[in-house]
Amino acid sequence: MAVIRVVLADDQVLVRSGFAALLRVEAGITVVGEADDGDAAVAVVAETVPDVVLMDVRMPGLDGIEATRRIVADERLSGVRVLMLTTFDLDEYVFDALRAGASGFLLKHTKPGDLIEAVRVVAAGDALLSPSVTRRLIAEFTARPSHPMPRADGSAFTEREHEVVQRVAQGMSNEEIAREFVISAATVRTHVSRAMAKVHARDRAQLVVFAYQSGMVRA
């Protein structure tokens, strides 16, 4: 089993230490670097090329949003997934963070088990899109007229891809979608991957953004 490599970026030492302690005792996960501001985060990520970055939104100097944007823009770091850390479930800065290329967000007071699961989910290439919170957040920021994401053409979707993307945008997991259509979860993943390729979405989060902005799903 491949080990998930994680970088922690947060200006609060206690937060970093707490997350590091939780992750280091978990089998299959290792912390390969820490940073206390955005500039340091970009440098550490470039040096270590982790699988996942836990990135605080608000940090002195370069904030987590701009740090995420720089990481995502670096072709050498195309496999790195950024999971934003925030204090509030509708932190306005998270809107811009997802636009910048983050794969989801995590509340700082999350339960230990949820933190570990979040790291595994994002490392596997999925977005952390909980139906109860993130769907609402994405619906909110995609409705905002400022800083729109590049438009993509979804007309090439097959009928089943269109149906699957709608379910993904509604917050359904691959397993839930598979049960609805009576197909395997692997088949769902294939449909999602093909849909992402057709609209040039970096990950599942950007696919959801596309679904809302194109009108496939209404907030």
Side-chain angles (χ1 to χ4, degrees):
M1 180 179 65
V3 174
I4 299 171
R5 306 170 73 253
V6 179
V7 163
L8 303 173
D10 196 299
D11 62 319
Q12 298 181 44
V13 176
L14 288 178
V15 172
R16 287 204 320 273
S17 299
F19 282 4
L22 287 171
L23 294 172
R24 285 185 171 125
V25 298
E26 186 67 20
I29 298 177
T30 184
V31 177
V32 296
E34 298 185 27
D36 59 4
D37 62 37
D39 284 313
V42 173
V44 170
V45 170
E47 178 182 354
T48 62
V49 192
D51 300 298
V52 177
V53 183
L54 294 181
M55 179 82 74
D56 188 20
V57 172
R58 300 172 180 173
M59 290 186 290
L62 190 72
D63 64 22
I65 297 169
E66 182 57 33
T68 297
R69 187 174 290 112
R70 294 185 186 184
I71 290 169
V72 170
D74 190 335
E75 293 183 357
R76 298 169 300 170
L77 305 176
S78 61
V80 177
R81 295 293 177 261
V82 180
L83 188 55
M84 304 303 301
L85 297 172
T86 181
T87 305
F88 306 105
D89 63 355
L90 286 180
D91 188 324
E92 62 180 5
Y93 295 104
V94 178
F95 302 148
D96 290 331
L98 289 177
R99 290 188 189 280
S103 293
F105 78 100
L106 190 67
L107 300 181
K108 286 189 177 181
H109 59 265
T110 190
K111 296 178 181 178
D114 291 339
L115 167 67
I116 294 166
E117 178 62 18
V119 170
R120 295 192 186 283
V121 165
V122 172
D126 288 333
L128 194 66
L129 303 172
S130 88
S132 63
V133 179
T134 312
R135 182 176 60 194
R136 185 170 79 244
L137 184 150
I138 290 177
E140 170 74 17
F141 89 76
T142 54
R144 297 183 176 196
S146 61
H147 308 297
M149 292 186 67
R151 298 193 65 82
D153 183 10
S155 62
F157 285 166
T158 64
E159 182 179 353
R160 180 47 56 87
E161 287 168 355
H162 190 279
E163 293 171 336
V164 167
V165 171
Q166 286 181 318
R167 270 60 173 185
V168 169
Q170 291 164 0
M172 293 176 66
S173 67
N174 288 346
E175 289 71 22
E176 290 170 333
I177 298 170
R179 285 196 296 271
E180 177 174 342
F181 293 123
V182 195
I183 56 179
S184 70
T187 298
V188 174
R189 284 193 293 273
T190 297
H191 286 312
V192 172
S193 296
R194 289 175 177 171
M196 285 168 50
K198 288 178 178 179
V199 298
H200 310 293
R202 183 172 186 265
D203 59 18
R204 199 176 176 107
Q206 288 197 344
L207 184 61
V208 172
V209 170
F210 168 81
Y212 277 105
Q213 290 193 325
S214 66
M216 289 177 62
V217 176
R218 299 295 182 184

